[in-house]
Amino acid sequence: MTPRTIPLSRRGLLAGGAAATPLAVTPQAAAEPRTEPQDKVRPGKGTVVHLLGTAGGPPPYGERMGIASAVTVGTDTYLVDCGRGAVTQYLRAGLSMPSLKGIFLTHLHADHIVDYFDFPLLCAGVMPPQPGLGGIVRVWGPGPSDTVTAGPVTPEQPAPGIVETTRRANATFAASTNAFVAEGFGIDPVSMLDVTELSARPGTVVTVLETATVKVTATRVPHGNMSPADGSVVFSGDTSRSDDLIALARGCDLLVHEAVDAAWFEETGLPATVVEHMREVHTDIAEVGGIAAAAGARQVVLSHLAPADPTQFPDREWAAAARASARAAGYRGRVTVGHDLMRIPLS
């Protein structure tokens, strides 16, 4: 199975199938992961994981931005998902647009991609000395889904892949782009992108990217792993407990895993269908310790939290639930509740 690359500026469109995709990022000698205050991290040194936003689910909250993470490997930056506020959080984290080399989208739900096209769109109309993107940015995401076959929106293609999604986003902002181009300082946003559609069968691992400094692999889960030279980072994406994810995360230095508290949704009186959805396609916090133990992960950071509103479910409650989960599973590694703009150096 070969990933397919489509430079959108050439009008290329290819189909493919994929579901939610955890990513493994491995910087190419592992060091002890640790969490440090922002002012102790020197940009451009080693490998750092940045939690830009940690909220799960589409509803917006003022206290937590949408799910988005970045991994800096030396002077290069790679994004994993682009939820609400990703562009703002990217800049607040001190990351530069010219450093952006790649975007990995685990799946095409709105809460994971709503800010994706903002990166090329907002950098396509800049004027010096404002920094635009530093060159072509590669984008990896799912192809058209075969699991959604009908719907009220674009029924002729109810589940387009990342190539068609990108094309439609560009068309939506045509009035803006064309005006800037006509005025002599804008460019076509997709001319800065090289988009690849991926598909993966259950039980398989796909190498998405491999350079001298970073290797990114992915597998398919029911709903990724990134490896830099200083250690390996696995991002779960949205998923229930998955043996494929555990295999991908085996021995990783850092597992960034989603967590829900299904009992909270039930006790809040939400419809049974919502509670069932949370239990079936997400990972309850009580299971995270067992997943970490089975994978032998050295450290776990919780992200894509649901409920996401800290006023309804404070971090102290997440921390208590995480400790209980780790104790029950005999997991001895560190479990940390992620928060927006947290930086986790691997080296």
Side-chain angles (χ1 to χ4, degrees):
M1 176 182 59
T2 304
R4 291 165 290 187
T5 302
I6 308 93
L8 288 175
S9 54
R10 300 181 188 172
R11 301 181 183 177
L13 295 178
L14 287 177
T21 306
L23 293 173
V25 185
T26 307
Q28 316 276 39
E32 183 69 26
R34 62 190 186 277
T35 301
E36 291 190 359
Q38 183 167 326
D39 60 1
K40 290 187 178 181
V41 180
R42 294 182 176 88
K45 299 292 184 180
T47 299
V48 181
V49 176
H50 308 255
L51 302 187
L52 305 182
T54 55
Y61 301 100
E63 300 299 320
R64 207 185 289 276
M65 291 290 124
I67 185 69
S69 305
V71 180
T72 52
V73 184
T75 58
D76 295 338
T77 304
Y78 300 90
L79 276 169
V80 180
D81 288 332
C82 301
R84 179 182 62 90
V87 170
T88 298
Q89 295 293 89
Y90 184 95
L91 296 173
R92 290 183 66 197
L95 305 174
S96 76
M97 287 296 179
S99 78
L100 182 59
K101 296 298 184 289
I103 299 174
F104 304 96
L105 302 171
T106 61
H107 60 300
L108 302 184
H109 286 173
D111 55 322
H112 289 252
I113 68 166
V114 69
D115 241 22
Y116 150 59
F117 198 69
D118 286 354
F119 281 90
L121 179 68
L122 299 175
C123 290
V126 300
M127 298 177 65
Q130 295 169 304
L133 297 177
I136 298 297
V137 173
R138 298 195 64 187
V139 179
W140 294 265
S145 173
D146 55 8
T147 61
V148 179
T149 57
V153 180
T154 61
E156 74 284 357
Q157 193 177 13
I162 186 55
V163 166
E164 179 64 8
T165 296
T166 302
R167 187 193 69 78
R168 293 181 185 183
N170 199 34
T172 296
F173 294 98
S176 172
T177 296
N178 291 335
F180 291 158
V181 170
E183 292 171 24
F185 59 82
I187 62 173
D188 184 349
V190 299
S191 68
M192 299 185 291
L193 302 179
D194 188 356
V195 182
T196 300
E197 289 188 340
L198 300 171
S199 62
R201 295 185 303 274
T204 64
V205 175
V206 176
T207 296
V208 180
L209 171 68
E210 186 165 9
T211 71
T213 57
V214 65
K215 180 179 181 180
V216 181
T217 55
T219 190
R220 180 169 174 162
V221 296
H223 185 88
N225 176 6
M226 211 179 214
S227 310
D230 299 314
S232 56
V233 187
V234 178
F235 296 87
S236 73
D238 287 12
T239 180
S240 55
R241 181 182 172 110
S242 165
D243 289 340
D244 288 340
L245 169 65
I246 290 171
L248 187 68
R250 192 84 64 196
C252 70
D253 294 284
L254 175 63
L255 174 59
V256 181
H257 204 288
E258 72 142 319
V260 305
D261 191 297
W264 181 90
F265 287 91
E266 188 170 19
E267 293 165 2
T268 305
L270 291 173
T273 53
V274 174
V275 177
E276 182 181 1
H277 170 82
M278 288 297 176
R279 294 189 186 281
E280 288 189 354
V281 302
H282 292 285
T283 302
D284 193 277
I285 182 62
E287 297 184 90
V288 172
I291 292 169
R298 298 176 69 185
Q299 179 181 199
V300 177
V301 173
L302 304 180
S303 189
H304 195 276
L305 302 172
D309 187 350
T311 65
Q312 297 176 326
F313 203 92
D315 282 2
R316 65 176 180 276
E317 294 190 30
W318 281 116
R323 288 193 298 269
S325 179
R327 283 196 303 270
Y331 177 64
R332 297 182 179 276
R334 179 189 299 174
V335 181
T336 306
V337 180
H339 59 78
D340 292 4
L341 299 181
M342 176 184 281
R343 296 189 184 199
I344 309 163
L346 292 187
S347 59

